[in-house]
Amino acid sequence: MTRTKNLSAVFLAVGLAAGLSACAPAGSNSEEEGEASSCNVGISMPTRSLERWINDGEGLKEKLEAKDCTVDLQYADNKTDQQISQIQNQVAGGAKILVVAAIDGETLGPTLEDAKGQDVQIIAYDRLINGTEAVDYYATFDNYKVGQLQGEFIEEQLGLAEGEGPFNLEPFAGSPDDNNASFFFSGAWDVLLPYVESGQLVVPSGKSPASNDEWTSIGILGWESADAQAEMDNRLQSFYTGGEKVDVVLSPNDSLALGIEASLDAAGYQPGSDWPLITGQDGDVANVKAMLEDRQSMTVWKDTRELGTQVETMIDALVAGEDVEVNDTETYNNGVLVVPTYILDPVVVTKDTVESQLVDSGFLEAGEVGL
Ligand code: BGC
């Protein structure tokens, strides 16, 4: 995947006279451009089963309520039908701004188009919503970079650029219905595939996509830990029968890493001896503990508080009828339009930086992870 973008430039999504007029248009495809929205916000999150979405939803709700917005926060149990009916209820209940982290990036179009028909502004949160013009803005972390950081971590730890190998790799990918998952995989695979092709990385299970486009063949639907565990069990039991060991696992996020780690445990791998290198994403408490116990090598941390603050800023602008600040207008094409986006930077956290990055910033409390 080729991507070009200029994160340093800050664009304004709509209008040229940004900041000069208090009533510059808000909402790129609002039916009544220029009108301020009331601060009545529906937040639609995918699931409570992952810590990050609980933090995301509750954090944003708190910020908005502190400024007297009306907020309805719903979690959809990873079920698309439930998410659709929750959004419909939010609109029927008077929401004028929707913040949506889609479960399935392809299926919300008609629901959001109905909402737009009622002058609702729509912000895609963390995950892009595809195939519809009913998305005004997108706020996310650099999803390609998340995968790239994972790939580069593996490259560096194993000394691949210096010609080390061969190592046994088992790659995993995220949920096929999540638009982010292809970016994560491409970011990592652009780094790792050349080493698979050179033979420095060997994939004993054969579950090695020949190109970025084939990533769904190793995707774990719904990002379920239990399914990642079952898949890893299956690979270990079927392809590691002659005493071979897994050296490295590419896991796109923490929920999959947890399942993979449980499988390694059951297969008798020992931290500090033959435990493989394993990647993650999110900085969930259980995974940070796993890092401190040498059961996970890294996590890509996305400070969800920053994402919340960015969305809060977008909402402030919409409510005031002002232009919305974005910093990318070329990366996220949803098939119908390139959605004006604010992209934030993810960072790598390892055992050695848990304290300085996660604890000192207040993202986690030392006691939560046993420090
Ligand atoms: C998010 C990740 C998360 C995953 C599973 C992705 O869309 O960007 O942070 O781990 O979904 O919920």
Side-chain angles (χ1 to χ4, degrees), residues 173-219:
S175 190
D177 54 6
D178 178 347
N179 191 67
N180 287 352
S182 70
F183 282 91
F184 300 150
F185 188 75
S186 295
W189 217 228
D190 280 345
V191 179
L192 300 177
L193 182 59
Y195 297 115
V196 175
E197 288 169 348
S198 74
Q200 282 172 270
L201 292 173
V202 177
V203 183
S205 67
K207 302 209 171 178
S208 173
S211 72
N212 292 356
D213 293 345
E214 290 168 40
W215 70 274
T216 54
S217 63
I218 56 163

Side-chain angles (χ1 to χ4, degrees), residues 46-47 50 52-53 126-127 140 143 178 180-181 184 222-223 252-255 281-282 302:
T47 172
L50 242 81
R52 74 149 291 184
W53 301 117
D126 195 82
R127 300 171 171 176
T140 192
N143 293 305
D178 178 347
N180 287 352
F184 300 150
W223 295 96
N253 87 332
D254 281 354
S255 65
Q281 165 186 197
D282 288 335
K302 306 186 298 189

Side-chain angles (χ1 to χ4, degrees), residues 29-340:
N29 42 23
S30 161
E31 297 217 329
E32 289 177 40
E33 286 198 339
E35 280 205 1
S37 297
S38 70
C39 196
N40 190 329
V41 183
I43 305 175
S44 174
M45 291 281 143
T47 172
R48 282 188 179 281
S49 71
L50 242 81
E51 199 177 296
R52 74 149 291 184
W53 301 117
I54 298 178
N55 295 338
D56 284 75
E58 289 175 359
L60 182 57
K61 183 170 192 268
E62 208 173 290
K63 286 182 209 286
L64 294 173
E65 283 179 344
K67 49 179 67 166
D68 290 334
C69 295
T70 304
V71 182
D72 181 51
L73 167 62
Q74 298 290 335
Y75 287 85
D77 203 15
N78 264 342
K79 296 189 179 85
T80 295
D81 288 352
Q82 201 166 316
Q83 185 162 45
I84 288 173
S85 68
Q86 287 174 342
I87 292 173
Q88 287 167 337
N89 287 340
Q90 287 174 328
V91 174
K96 285 294 160 204
I97 298 170
L98 288 173
V99 178
V100 181
I103 293 162
D104 181 334
E106 304 290 336
T107 53
L108 295 180
T111 309
L112 297 180
E113 283 147 26
D114 284 350
K116 280 241 69 91
Q118 298 175 59
D119 290 332
V120 173
Q121 306 278 348
I122 294 143
I123 300 172
Y125 185 94
D126 195 82
R127 300 171 171 176
L128 186 57
I129 298 160
N130 287 317
T132 177
E133 60 179 15
V135 188
D136 294 292
Y137 302 100
Y138 180 32
T140 192
F141 285 85
D142 187 335
N143 293 305
Y144 180 88
K145 187 168 175 193
V146 169
Q148 191 177 39
L149 291 172
Q150 294 166 339
E152 288 173 352
F153 181 87
I154 290 173
E155 180 184 48
E156 197 184 312
Q157 294 294 311
L158 296 181
L160 295 172
E162 289 75 48
E164 299 290 328
F167 298 102
N168 288 336
L169 163 73
E170 290 301 332
F172 284 72
S175 190
D177 54 6
D178 178 347
N179 191 67
N180 287 352
S182 70
F183 282 91
F184 300 150
F185 188 75
S186 295
W189 217 228
D190 280 345
V191 179
L192 300 177
L193 182 59
Y195 297 115
V196 175
E197 288 169 348
S198 74
Q200 282 172 270
L201 292 173
V202 177
V203 183
S205 67
K207 302 209 171 178
S208 173
S211 72
N212 292 356
D213 293 345
E214 290 168 40
W215 70 274
T216 54
S217 63
I218 56 163
I220 301 289
L221 189 64
W223 295 96
E224 288 292 337
S225 300
D227 292 343
Q229 181 172 351
E231 171 64 18
M232 190 65 184
D233 285 348
N234 181 40
R235 293 191 199 184
L236 292 174
Q237 285 157 16
S238 312
F239 304 101
Y240 291 80
T241 50
E244 306 89 338
K245 289 281 180 187
V246 185
D247 299 307
V248 50
V249 182
L250 170 68
S251 166
N253 87 332
D254 281 354
S255 65
L256 300 198
L258 273 191
I260 295 161
E261 287 154 16
S263 173
L264 291 165
D265 253 338
Y269 282 81
Q270 295 291 331
S273 95
D274 56 358
W275 197 266
L277 204 67
I278 171 163
T279 58
Q281 165 186 197
D282 288 335
D284 284 350
V285 169
N287 298 77
V288 174
K289 284 186 179 157
M291 291 201 299
L292 295 171
E293 292 162 1
D294 292 324
R295 294 155 51 83
Q296 184 168 320
S297 316
M298 60 93 86
T299 192
V300 178
W301 177 42
K302 306 186 298 189
D303 190 340
T304 47
R305 296 168 303 180
E306 274 184 46
L307 187 59
T309 301
Q310 205 49 56
V311 170
E312 183 188 5
T313 306
M314 284 181 167
I315 291 173
D316 287 347
L318 291 174
V319 169
E322 289 170 359
D323 287 355
V324 171
E325 186 184 330
V326 296
N327 62 7
D328 180 280
T329 51
E330 52 193 47
T331 302
Y332 288 105
N333 186 333
N334 82 346
V336 175
L337 77 159
V338 179
V339 183

